[in-house]
Amino acid sequence: MALRHLAIDIGASSGRAIVGELDETGRLRLTEVHRFENGLVQRGGHLCWDIDALWESVLDGLAAAHERGLTPATVGVDTWGVDFVLLDGSDRRLGEAVGYRDARTQGVREELERTGVLPFSEHYARTGIQYQPFNTAYQLWALKREHPEQLAAARTFLMVPDYLNFLLCGEKANEYTNASTTALVGATSRDWDRELLGRLDLPADIFLPVSMPGCALGHLRPEVARRVGFDAEVVLPATHDTGSAFLAVPARDDRAAFLSSGTWSLLGTELAAPVTSPSSAAANFTNEGGYQARYRYLKNIMGLWMIQCVRRESARPDGSLPTWGELVSAASDAHEQGFRSTVDAEDERFLSPDSMVGEVCAACAEAGQPVPGTTGEVACTVYDSLAADYARTVRQMQEFTGTTFTSVNVVGGGSANAYLNQATANACGLPVYAGPTEGTALGNLIVQMIHAGELADLVSARAAIARSFDIKEVLPHE
């Protein structure tokens, strides 16, 4: 009888518990057993994650798998990157888990540049991590200014999935793919950059040895096992959701561009060595850690966050929201009627605006372009802007890596968006291979299956994905 495995996959807006197993034909079967909402809440003047609610949702996911008769042998957790918690000497949380969309890091890069503490050119050369205003390094600097007592009392630093793993099994670990997003891990050493920690006046002893995905942490705590009704082994997947998503790409060759399309769009490729040149830094590419110590060379682009906001702002008089399919159809209709406007999807103005629709319209007006007047025209602008950004990013990657890409391979929820897939193929001039939609959970599960000996390696895992799911080919036609 095949083993079952459980992926707890938590994104910025929702989370899922998905059971995976290999059937007798070697195909992967997925069963979603639980889904829950996630989001930022205002606490103490900051945008924070409700970690306690997330933990309860994790437990509910484990219990749901058991109740469905799909009891897993192993469990793996993945989440977004950069955000963290601090624990004191009694393993109690210090303060809130402030989220990356909070404004506390505004001006930190400029302060570090101005004071000479850490010019970004050196920061990038050391870590290979792109500038984002919410980089963990900047968050810790902001915390040190606002709540130095928390850092003084801290004994352990854990990223969000590290903390959930600790609650599950009682073992603490800093997993590599997520640790790399902190901009505190050396690009080539794959370990905490102690000199960098010193420059930022951060307590080095709170950072644990970096652990690689694929290792087992231990079994569920007895109290957790009693709560959910079974015991299981906790295995580290690539705990950063993009790291897991990249694993699920059934690439046809080694010149494939990978696109994880969700709240964020993460477009890149896999490399054996980091690219930390000044030109790469200027273009804001990042070298995040990947499975088997490879590198995810990619760029973070605003992604479907923009359309998620547009949808929330497009409520009908009865309070209902348009479906995703309705937004795609409306964008397609606007395109067919000749509407053409684009914005810079990487502009920080779209990170957390009061109104995304208003910000998109303002950006179009400032650029002298047609201003969207309908929801369909706003959606068309967002999708076309993302596609244009993807094309620009592929061209830059080709320049910096010397690789001529043969395709764009899309995984995640955005892979089901027919309009965006076609716009991407047209803008890039490359075929788009769309699917599977559950890329992150799949990547999480295949690491567990490799650990369990059911899949030999990543090559065989990607082959299993290719034969298990419908991958749509979209050819450029404009």
Side-chain angles (χ1 to χ4, degrees):
M1 180 176 173
L3 294 175
R4 295 189 179 99
H5 310 273
L6 181 64
I8 303 293
D9 170 31
I10 307 176
S13 58
S14 66
R16 287 133 324 158
I18 296 178
V19 174
E21 57 189 312
L22 282 169
D23 67 18
E24 62 279 0
T25 69
R27 286 181 167 81
L28 288 154
R29 292 193 300 178
L30 305 183
T31 305
E32 182 180 299
V33 295
H34 185 57
R35 181 177 286 263
F36 52 94
E37 295 299 312
N38 187 29
L40 292 163
V41 295
Q42 282 280 355
R43 288 181 178 168
H46 292 290
L47 289 171
C48 304
W49 301 108
D50 190 340
I51 291 290
D52 293 328
L54 281 181
W55 169 234
E56 287 298 317
S57 296
V58 170
L59 292 173
D60 290 344
L62 269 68
H66 185 57
E67 291 165 4
R68 292 276 296 271
L70 300 171
T71 305
T74 65
V75 178
V77 179
D78 68 78
T79 78
W80 64 96
V82 306
D83 293 339
F84 62 92
V85 300
L86 298 176
L87 304 184
D88 67 12
S90 299
D91 292 332
R92 294 172 299 201
R93 284 203 318 269
L94 293 161
E96 298 288 350
V98 178
Y100 60 83
R101 293 193 190 278
D102 186 74
R104 66 176 174 170
T105 56
Q106 286 183 355
V108 170
R109 173 180 172 174
E110 292 76 13
E111 179 183 349
L112 295 176
E113 293 269 9
R114 184 180 64 255
T115 58
V117 171
L118 187 62
F120 180 70
S121 58
E122 182 182 352
H123 198 173
Y124 187 86
R126 298 181 75 96
T127 68
I129 298 300
Q130 73 176 116
Y131 167 71
Q132 294 277 23
F134 47 73
N135 283 349
T136 314
Y138 298 158
Q139 291 197 46
L140 285 165
W141 183 267
L143 178 67
K144 184 161 63 77
R145 289 186 306 188
E146 183 180 9
H147 290 294
E149 75 282 359
Q150 291 184 15
L151 275 173
R155 296 297 177 267
T156 309
F157 167 94
L158 296 175
M159 307 293 282
V160 169
D162 297 335
Y163 181 59
L164 294 174
N165 282 327
F166 168 64
L167 295 179
L168 281 170
C169 68
E171 295 296 325
K172 301 172 190 172
N174 290 154
E175 187 273 327
Y176 171 57
T177 66
N178 220 310
S180 73
T181 71
T182 63
L184 294 169
V185 170
T188 55
S189 71
R190 305 187 187 95
D191 199 0
W192 301 109
D193 185 325
R194 301 290 166 173
E195 181 180 339
L196 186 56
L197 295 176
R199 296 268 289 278
L200 294 170
D201 193 26
L202 298 174
D205 58 350
I206 68 175
F207 298 92
L208 304 171
V210 174
S211 299
M212 288 293 170
C215 74
L217 289 185
H219 282 257
L220 298 180
R221 294 178 192 245
E223 60 270 30
V224 173
R226 286 193 297 271
R227 164 86 179 263
V228 302
F230 66 96
D231 188 21
E233 188 176 34
V234 178
V235 175
L236 285 181
T239 65
H240 187 246
D241 50 11
T242 311
S244 279
F246 269 38
L247 291 177
V249 174
R252 287 157 176 76
D253 57 43
D254 59 2
R255 294 188 292 156
F258 296 0
L259 173 59
S260 175
S261 181
T263 299
W264 287 92
S265 289
L266 300 114
L267 177 56
T269 191
E270 288 183 325
L271 297 177
V275 179
T276 57
S277 63
S279 56
S280 178
N284 219 26
F285 277 84
T286 201
N287 296 267
E288 293 176 352
Y291 183 62
Q292 295 180 329
R294 290 175 67 81
Y295 295 88
R296 291 174 285 128
Y297 185 65
L298 57 88
K299 180 178 283 190
N300 287 270
I301 300 167
M302 202 64 68
L304 297 179
W305 160 252
M306 296 178 72
I307 203 69
Q308 290 166 2
C309 292
V310 171
R311 179 173 180 260
R312 285 196 294 271
E313 295 175 35
S314 303
R316 302 182 179 99
D318 64 359
S320 64
L321 299 178
T323 67
W324 299 116
E326 287 171 340
L327 286 172
V328 170
S329 295
S332 181
D333 290 344
H335 182 87
E336 290 177 3
Q337 293 165 13
F339 187 83
R340 300 289 188 277
S341 282
T342 58
V343 299
D344 179 4
E346 296 180 58
D347 196 316
E348 289 182 19
R349 70 191 296 171
F350 301 118
L351 182 62
S352 189
D354 292 334
S355 168
M356 186 65 73
V357 172
E359 204 67 41
V360 169
C361 291
C364 290
E366 291 164 15
Q369 298 184 85
V371 177
T374 66
T375 297
E377 290 176 351
V378 175
C380 181
T381 300
V382 170
Y383 292 141
D384 287 352
S385 299
L386 290 174
D389 207 337
Y390 299 161
R392 180 168 61 251
T393 300
V394 168
R395 291 193 296 270
Q396 291 173 325
M397 283 200 304
Q398 291 185 153
E399 176 186 350
F400 301 148
T401 67
T403 300
T404 301
F405 292 100
T406 57
S407 63
V408 178
N409 298 258
V410 188
V411 296
S415 68
N417 189 317
Y419 180 88
L420 182 55
N421 289 337
Q422 188 65 65
T424 300
N426 296 344
C428 295
L430 294 171
V432 166
Y433 296 98
T437 57
E438 288 292 356
T440 304
L442 262 176
N444 182 327
L445 289 165
I446 62 175
V447 171
Q448 296 182 55
M449 291 175 178
I450 292 170
H451 167 76
E454 295 179 289
L455 292 169
D457 51 28
L458 184 55
V459 172
S460 61
R462 283 175 167 160
I465 291 170
R467 64 175 172 265
S468 302
F469 300 94
D470 179 27
I471 313 297
K472 293 181 173 60
E473 182 183 47
V474 182
L475 301 176
H477 62 51
E478 288 184 6

